[in-house]
């Protein structure tokens, strides 16, 4: 069973996380969840602690196979039009990578220039 404030471990990192703000979400409505049972869907918001496909557990460790990664079907070059905003550009790209929304490829020659 799930209870608000319980401490769990993230399988990928081994870090312990307190689930202090679990939410039930429906469209734009958010409601804090106090408890749950097997099959309930609970939203966990903790930036940087979770990634897509993570397993959280309390008690004995649990591990499942990862989400498969497929060859990209669409390609595009990303160029930062404003070099003074490099950090923001890189941060946005890292967020998309963390969410699994994109895969980044680089050309072999030329080092780390514009991502494909």
């Amino acid at each position: 069973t799930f209870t608000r404030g319980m401490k769990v471990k993230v399988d990928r990192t081994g870090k312990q996380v307190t689930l202090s703000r679990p939410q039930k979400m429906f469209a734009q409505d958010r409601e804090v969840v106090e408890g749950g049972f097997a099959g309930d869907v609970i939203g966990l918001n903790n930036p940087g602690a979770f990634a897509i496909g993570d397993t959280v557990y309390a008690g004995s460790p649990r591990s499942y196979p990862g989400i498969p990664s497929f060859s990209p079907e669409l390609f595009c070059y990303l160029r930062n039009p404003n070099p003074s905003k490099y950090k923001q550009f890189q941060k946005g790209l890292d967020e998309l990578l963390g969410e699994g929304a994109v895969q980044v490829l680089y050309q072999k020659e030329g080092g780390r220039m514009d991502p494909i």
Side-chain angles (χ1 to χ4, degrees):
T1 62
F2 169 83
T3 57
R4 181 179 174 195
M6 71 186 295
K7 295 184 186 307
V8 297
K9 280 196 173 182
V10 180
D11 182 56
R12 177 178 51 91
T13 61
K15 290 184 179 178
Q16 188 169 4
V17 178
T18 301
L19 303 178
S20 58
R21 294 181 305 174
Q23 297 180 350
K24 179 169 71 172
M25 297 173 267
F26 185 75
Q28 293 178 346
D29 298 332
R30 302 287 187 266
E31 182 180 325
V32 175
V33 176
E34 295 298 328
F37 300 96
D40 289 353
V41 177
I42 299 170
L44 304 174
N45 184 5
N46 192 335
F50 304 119
I52 292 176
D54 274 352
T55 300
V56 295
Y57 63 89
S60 61
R62 306 277 181 190
S63 186
Y64 299 97
I67 296 174
S69 177
F70 300 100
S71 299
E73 295 179 4
L74 301 171
F75 293 89
C76 71
Y77 283 95
L78 295 177
R79 292 215 166 87
N80 182 7
N82 188 348
S84 65
K85 302 273 186 182
Y86 176 78
K87 286 184 180 180
Q88 290 89 337
F89 176 78
Q90 196 61 43
K91 183 179 178 187
L93 189 57
D94 289 342
E95 286 181 16
L96 290 173
L97 279 167
E99 293 173 3
V102 298
Q103 295 178 25
V104 176
L105 307 171
Y106 293 97
Q107 295 179 357
K108 282 187 177 182
E109 65 280 342
R112 188 174 176 154
M113 299 298 284
D114 293 330
I116 299 173

